[in-house]
Amino acid sequence: MNGFVRRQLAIGGIQPMHKYKECTQCNEMKPPEGGIEMSQTKWHCARCWANGVISRKLKDAKTQTA
């Protein structure tokens, strides 16, 4: 374990102020792991981003078969 992690885990260590981010798609507070920052002011949680990708892929597949 490196020094940075040890300091963060220490009792009384400085913890980040913002543990969660607000998803601009679903407007819920979600942990930042797995989310995608689309721009400086736009962030999507992993679930919303995956749903968008899946729906685009299904739409593309449907237009290719038609």
Side-chain angles (χ1 to χ4, degrees), residues 5-15:
V5 174
R6 192 175 300 121
R7 282 193 305 274
Q8 293 297 325
L9 295 176
I11 295 176
I14 299 171
Q15 299 296 318

Side-chain angles (χ1 to χ4, degrees), residues 37-49:
E37 190 167 339
M38 307 300 275
S39 69
Q40 294 257 337
T41 59
K42 193 174 180 181
W43 181 82
H44 288 187
C45 66
R47 182 177 184 189
C48 290
W49 184 80

Side-chain angles (χ1 to χ4, degrees), residues 25 44 46-64:
Q25 186 114 10
H44 288 187
R47 182 177 184 189
C48 290
W49 184 80
N51 286 342
V53 170
I54 291 168
S55 66
R56 274 194 303 275
K57 293 289 183 186
L58 290 174
K59 186 177 178 183
D60 291 343
K62 188 176 182 180
T63 57
Q64 287 177 359

